[in-house]
Amino acid sequence: MASVTSFYPDGLLPGETVQDNNARRASAITAKKMALAHVDRGDLMSAGPLFVAAARAGEIESMEWAAQYCKSIGARSEAMHWFTRSAEAGIRDSMYNLAQRYVEDGDLHEALRWFTKASDAGDPDAHVIAGKIRRHLAGQ
């Protein structure tokens, strides 16, 4: 993942003041830094809720981590939410992971869409899988 903190959506949220926006972003950065410190110590379960907090505050990179955490604790719909938000914001790993979730659900058309996006973003494994799905769908 990129090392620059990025936020989604850019700019102020509806009804948000500049001060509120600055506080939201500072809170997200703090939560992400704390979460990464837990990751460095190998304590992924403590990091998860902090990544979720940062993701809720709009920090894009934390959304992939939040999705992985939610998936690991069985919160599938929340994981899908964060994978989707992160993938839509351009995080390649989230595109791939979202596509995998669609394969698990049996939605090969949506899986193909996200594997193709991941492939276009430079993921070589996604390119191979997208080709296999295309051939499978053509043979139906």
Side-chain angles (χ1 to χ4, degrees), residues 69-106:
Y69 168 72
C70 291
K71 179 182 164 219
S72 76
I73 63 168
R76 190 181 190 316
S77 64
E78 191 170 358
M80 287 295 285
H81 169 76
W82 291 123
F83 279 132
T84 301
R85 292 273 313 268
S86 181
E88 289 172 346
I91 301 295
R92 184 179 76 188
D93 289 348
S94 291
M95 294 172 191
Y96 185 94
N97 288 319
L98 183 59
Q100 287 183 313
R101 303 296 76 78
Y102 281 117
V103 167
E104 290 170 4
D105 290 348

Side-chain angles (χ1 to χ4, degrees), residues 28-81:
I29 291 167
T30 300
K32 180 181 176 185
K33 285 180 181 179
M34 290 171 52
L36 289 171
H38 284 290
V39 169
D40 287 344
R41 290 191 303 272
D43 186 3
L44 301 178
M45 292 312 284
S46 294
L50 293 166
F51 282 123
V52 171
R56 286 183 179 147
E59 207 285 314
I60 294 171
E61 292 174 356
S62 294
M63 292 176 188
E64 166 69 22
W65 287 92
Q68 292 292 352
Y69 168 72
C70 291
K71 179 182 164 219
S72 76
I73 63 168
R76 190 181 190 316
S77 64
E78 191 170 358
M80 287 295 285
H81 169 76

